[in-house]
C-alpha cells in the first residue's frame, strides 16, 4: 500500500502533491527500484481524487525517469533513482547560529569602508526605482550593452567633471559591479603570468589577491603619511601598471601631494605603463578643498576607478571604470564575457538619482555626519589614551588609523580583544606586504557607528589594552 496524503487547504495543486510525495519516496529509497506502483484508478480512489490527477503525476515522473511502464504489467520504480541522503546539520545548528548572531550584535565593529547603513536614502531611491520600473521601455528589460546604460555614463561623466576634475567622454566609461569587479577586469586585461605590478604597501589584502591570481609579480612600494614614496619607485622594473589610492591611501589615509603626483606620472611615462587610480571614498573630504583626481592630469595614462559603495551602499554593487581610448573595446568585451552587463534598472535608477542632484545632496548631508563621527573618534581616543596614541589618515573618508606605543596587534590579540571585550578592530599589518612595520597600528572605521557606539567601543578598547 502506498501511503500518500492529500491536503486540499494547501495552495499546491493536487497533481504536484502526488508527484512530490512519490518522487521523494523514490529518491530516499522508501520506494525501491523495481517496486510496482498502484494502478492509477486504485490510487485515485484511495486518495479521493480524480484519475486524471494520478495519470498526470505518473506522466511527470515517467518523463523525468523516476518510473517506467512495462506494457501489460504496470508501472514500476526505475533503476538508479535512489540518492543516499546525507545528514542534515542545518536544523541542528540553527540555535547555535542564532547565538553567534546575537553575540555578533553585541560587538562594536570598527570595520572600515561601511557607510551609515541606516541613512541610505531609502525613500528617494525607492521612489526613483519605482518610476524607472514603471516608465522604461520594454526593450530595457532585455540584454544590454556591456559598458552600461548611456543615461548613467552621461550623467556620471558630467558629475565627475564637476566634482572630481575627471576628464572623460561617456564612451570611456564601463559600469561595473563595484570597484572590485573593475580590479578584476583590469587584472585580466593588463596582467599575464610573470607581469609586474607596482602597488602601495600596505594596500588592501583583497586587491593583492586579485592581482596575484593573474600570476602577476607584486612589487610593493612603501607608503608614508602622504601616500606612496615616489623616491622608492623601482627604476629597474617594467610594470604593466602602478596601482594607487591617491586621494585617501588605503589603509594609512594619506593624500598624495601634487609633487608626488607629478613624479608618479613622470615615472609612468618613462617606463610606459598605466596608472590605476582607485578613488573609493574621496567625496568625504573633511578638511580643505576636495582634491582633484590624478586622472585629470594625464587622462591617457591614468585608469580611474570609482564606486557607489561608500557614498550610497555596498549592496548596490555599482562602480565604474574610466579608460584611456586604447583599452575601451577590450574592456567592454571582457565585461561581456564576465557577466554580460551590470543590472540595467539599478543603473537607470542611479542615473536619475544623480541627474536630479539627489546624490550631491546626500553626499553633503553625509559629509557632516561623517565629519562629526570622525571628530568624535579622535576625541574619544585622546580622552582614553592621551598622548600614547597617534592618529593619522583622518582627512578623508570613513576611517582613520590609530598607532599605539608598545603594542603589537597580532591576530591572536585582536581575536581575544573581540571575544573578551566585544570590540572588533582591524590591524594595518593584515594589509602589509612587507611585514613587521605596521604592527602597532589599527584601522578604525566609523562610518556605520553612532556616537554612543564609538564612545563605548573606544572605552572597551582601552580596557582591553590595559
Ligand atoms: C581600497 C578600496 N577600494 C575600493 C573599495 C570598494 O569596493 P566595492 O566598490 O567593490 O564595494 C574598497 C572596499 O572596501 C576598498 O577598500
Amino acid at each position: 500500500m502506498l501511503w500518500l496524503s492529500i491536503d486540499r487547504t494547501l495552495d499546491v495543486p493536487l497533481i504536484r502533491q502526488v508527484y512530490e510525495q512519490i518522487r521523494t519516496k523514490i529518491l530516499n529509497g522508501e520506494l525501491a527500484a523495481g517496486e510496482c506502483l498502484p494502478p492509477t484508478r486504485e490510487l485515485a480512489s484511495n486518495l479521493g481524487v480524480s484519475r486524471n490527477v494520478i495519470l498526470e503525476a505518473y506522466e511527470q515522473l515517467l518523463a523525468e525517469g523516476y518510473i517506467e511502464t512495462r506494457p501489460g504489467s504496470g508501472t514500476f520504480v526505475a533503476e538508479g533513482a535512489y540518492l543516499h541522503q546525507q545528514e542534515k546539520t542545518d536544523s541542528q545548528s540553527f540555535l547555535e547560529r542564532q547565538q553567534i548572531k546575537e553575540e555578533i550584535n553585541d560587538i562594536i565593529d570598527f570595520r572600515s569602508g561601511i557607510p551609515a547603513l541606516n541613512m541610505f536614502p531609502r525613500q528617494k531611491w525607492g521612489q526613483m526605482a519605482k518610476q524607472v520600473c514603471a516608465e522604461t521601455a520594454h526593450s530595457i528589460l532585455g540584454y544590454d550593452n556591456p559598458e552600461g546604460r548611456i543615461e548613467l555614463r552621461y550623467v556620471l561623466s558630467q558629475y565627475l567633471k564637476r566634482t572630481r576634475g575627471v576628464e572623460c567622454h561617456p564612451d570611456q566609461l564601463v559600469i561595473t559591479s563595484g570597484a572590485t569587479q573593475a580590479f578584476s577586469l583590469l587584472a585580466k586585461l593588463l596582467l599575464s603570468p610573470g607581469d609586474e605590478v607596482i602597488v602601495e604597501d600596505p594596500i588592501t589584502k583583497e586587491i593583492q589577491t586579485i592581482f596575484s591570481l593573474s600570476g602577476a609579480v607584486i612589487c610593493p612600494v612603501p607608503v608614508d603619511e602622504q601616500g606612496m614614496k615616489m623616491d622608492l619607485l623601482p627604476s629597474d622594473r617594467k610594470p604593466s601598471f602602478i596601482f594607487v589610492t591617491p586621494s585617501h591611501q588605503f589603509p594609512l589615509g594619506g593624500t598624495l601631494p601634487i609633487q608626488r603626483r607629478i613624479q608618479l606620472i613622470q615615472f609612468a611615462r618613462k617606463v610606459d605603463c598605466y596608472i590605476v587610480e582607485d578613488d573609493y571614498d574621496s567625496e568625504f573630504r573633511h578638511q580643505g578643498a576636495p582634491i582633484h583626481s590624478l586622472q585629470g592630469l594625464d587622462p591617457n595614462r591614468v585608469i580611474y576607478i570609482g564606486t557607489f559603495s561608500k557614498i550610497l551602499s555596498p549592496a548596490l554593487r555599482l562602480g565604474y571604470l574610466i579608460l584611456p581610448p586604447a583599452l575601451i573595446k577590450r574592456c567592454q568585451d571582457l565585461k561581456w564575457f564576465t557577466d554580460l552587463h551590470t543590472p540595467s534598472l539599478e543603473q537607470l535608477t542611479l542615473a536619475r538619482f544623480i541627474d536630479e542632484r539627489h546624490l550631491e545632496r546626500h553626499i553633503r548631508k553625509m559629509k557632516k555626519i561623517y565629519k562629526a563621527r570622525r571628530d568624535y573618534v579622535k576625541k574619544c581616543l585622546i580622552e582614553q589614551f592621551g598622548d600614547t596614541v597617534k592618529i593619522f589618515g583622518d582627512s578623508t573618508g570613513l576611517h582613520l588609523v590609530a598607532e599605539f606605543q608598545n603594542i603589537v596587534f597580532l591576530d591572536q590579540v585582536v581575536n581575544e580583544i573581540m571575544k573578551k571585550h566585544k570590540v572588533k578592530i582591524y590591524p594595518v599589518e593584515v594589509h602589509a606586504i612587507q611585514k613587521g612595520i605596521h604592527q602597532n597600528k589599527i584601522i578604525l572605521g566609523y562610518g556605520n557607528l553612532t556616537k554612543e557606539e564609538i564612545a563605548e567601543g573606544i572605552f572597551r578598547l582601552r580596557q582591553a589594552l590595559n
Side-chain angles (χ1 to χ4, degrees):
M1 175 93 178
L2 179 59
W3 290 102
L4 302 181
S5 61
I6 290 294
D7 185 346
R8 290 180 192 275
T9 64
L10 290 180
D11 208 11
V12 181
L14 298 181
I15 298 168
R16 191 84 202 161
Q17 294 191 29
V18 174
Y19 158 83
E20 287 284 1
Q21 291 177 63
I22 299 179
R23 177 180 170 273
T24 307
K25 285 179 192 293
I26 295 174
L27 273 176
N28 66 21
E30 251 182 86
L31 281 172
E35 218 169 301
C36 185
L37 291 187
T40 52
R41 214 181 293 276
E42 182 189 316
L43 186 57
S45 137
N46 285 347
L47 295 173
V49 297
S50 92
R51 187 174 165 228
N52 268 349
V53 168
I54 309 300
L55 277 171
E56 286 206 32
Y58 276 19
E59 216 162 279
Q60 183 67 29
L61 290 162
L62 188 68
E64 292 181 30
Y66 289 98
I67 58 176
E68 59 194 17
T69 54
R70 294 180 202 153
S73 324
T75 305
F76 298 85
V77 176
E79 285 289 338
Y82 161 69
L83 179 68
H84 175 70
Q85 302 298 301
Q86 294 194 322
E87 248 174 67
K88 286 192 178 142
T89 51
D90 268 359
S91 56
Q92 156 198 353
S93 63
F94 177 75
L95 284 178
E96 277 168 29
R97 273 190 281 141
Q98 208 50 25
Q99 200 179 344
I100 292 168
K101 247 194 219 163
E102 274 158 27
E103 275 172 19
I104 287 172
N105 284 343
D106 231 23
I107 287 172
I108 293 179
D109 189 347
F110 280 100
R111 180 173 168 177
S112 66
I114 312 287
L117 300 179
N118 64 343
M119 289 188 190
F120 179 77
R122 280 179 193 251
Q123 239 191 334
K124 222 359 120 200
W125 186 269
Q127 203 180 324
M128 314 236 113
K130 202 168 156 193
Q131 284 168 6
V132 163
C133 194
E135 292 166 18
T136 45
H138 296 321
S139 59
I140 284 172
L141 300 171
Y143 291 112
D144 218 323
N145 298 322
E147 64 270 27
R149 296 295 312 171
I150 181 61
E151 294 90 334
L152 177 57
R153 288 182 290 116
Y154 177 75
V155 291
L156 199 48
S157 65
Q158 297 296 311
Y159 162 78
L160 291 169
K161 218 173 271 178
R162 211 167 47 239
T163 60
R164 307 284 307 112
V166 168
E167 280 300 322
C168 74
H169 186 274
D171 289 350
Q172 289 174 260
L173 270 144
V174 173
I175 307 298
T176 57
S177 298
T180 305
Q181 188 182 50
F183 304 145
S184 296
L185 290 174
L186 283 182
K188 285 188 197 139
L189 196 64
L190 298 175
L191 298 175
S192 303
D195 283 355
E196 293 175 329
V197 52
I198 295 182
V199 301
E200 298 163 334
D201 181 15
I203 186 69
T204 23
K205 191 90 189 116
E206 290 78 10
I207 290 173
Q208 294 174 42
T209 308
I210 291 171
F211 295 161
S212 300
L213 282 174
S214 292
V217 178
I218 308 268
C219 311
V221 171
V223 160
D224 65 13
E225 288 165 31
Q226 293 190 313
M228 189 181 258
K229 290 166 87 171
M230 299 306 164
D231 47 340
L232 297 181
L233 278 167
S235 53
D236 56 338
R237 301 280 184 179
K238 184 86 188 66
S240 297
F241 61 86
I242 306 168
F243 181 88
V244 281
T245 47
S247 299
H248 188 216
Q249 203 278 329
F250 190 90
L252 293 186
T255 302
L256 206 63
I258 185 66
Q259 293 76 8
R260 289 198 194 185
R261 287 172 190 240
I262 290 172
Q263 262 180 293
L264 176 63
I265 289 173
Q266 282 168 342
F267 178 87
R269 285 181 183 172
K270 200 168 115 204
V271 300
D272 193 19
C273 72
Y274 287 109
I275 299 170
V276 176
E277 173 178 21
D278 175 17
D279 199 9
Y280 63 103
D281 72 356
S282 67
E283 288 84 355
F284 302 122
R285 181 148 180 90
H286 306 309
Q287 56 206 52
I291 310 278
H292 262 218
S293 68
L294 187 66
Q295 192 269 3
L297 292 176
D298 195 346
N300 283 325
R301 194 165 291 280
V302 181
I303 301 166
Y304 182 91
I305 296 176
T307 176
F308 290 91
S309 290
K310 319 297 164 186
I311 43 183
L312 281 170
S313 152
L316 294 176
R317 304 312 305 134
L318 284 167
Y320 53 94
L321 265 166
I322 298 175
L323 297 148
L327 295 176
I328 297 171
K329 175 74 176 73
R330 280 175 57 216
C331 187
Q332 289 174 348
D333 288 348
L334 251 180
K335 170 71 179 163
W336 178 254
F337 299 139
T338 306
D339 61 356
L340 302 187
H341 60 84
T342 296
S344 308
L345 295 181
E346 277 76 1
Q347 290 188 54
L348 288 175
T349 306
L350 179 59
R352 205 174 266 222
F353 197 79
I354 300 173
D355 196 34
E356 296 184 14
R357 298 287 170 119
H358 297 300
L359 183 70
E360 280 165 80
R361 242 170 265 145
H362 181 65
I363 291 173
R364 271 200 301 279
K365 174 179 154 193
M366 295 315 294
K367 226 173 135 167
K368 282 187 205 144
I369 292 168
Y370 293 139
K371 183 175 182 307
R373 290 183 181 184
R374 175 203 71 156
D375 292 346
Y376 202 62
V377 176
K378 289 171 75 173
K379 178 173 172 283
C380 293
L381 278 172
I382 290 162
E383 271 171 17
Q384 297 290 343
F385 296 100
D387 56 9
T388 62
V389 67
K390 188 178 160 203
I391 299 163
F392 52 93
D394 63 321
S395 67
T396 308
L398 311 176
H399 76 268
L400 53 76
V401 170
E403 178 178 347
F404 295 85
Q405 287 167 12
N406 308 323
I407 296 172
V408 171
F409 291 99
L410 300 174
D411 283 355
Q412 191 196 342
V413 173
V414 170
N415 283 339
E416 245 180 70
I417 290 177
M418 185 174 79
K419 274 197 200 134
K420 264 200 201 152
H421 298 273
K422 307 238 179 282
V423 58
K424 193 157 184 205
I425 49 167
Y426 295 82
V428 170
E429 190 69 5
V430 170
H431 304 289
I433 301 173
Q434 195 187 336
K435 298 290 181 193
I437 301 171
H438 302 287
Q439 287 179 321
N440 59 346
K441 301 183 186 104
I442 53 170
I443 308 163
L444 294 172
Y446 49 78
N448 194 32
L449 293 177
T450 61
K451 279 191 170 180
E452 292 71 32
E453 287 166 331
I454 290 170
E456 177 64 21
I458 303 287
F459 173 73
R460 289 183 193 179
L461 184 60
R462 214 255 345 257
Q463 287 190 317
L465 299 187
N466 269 349

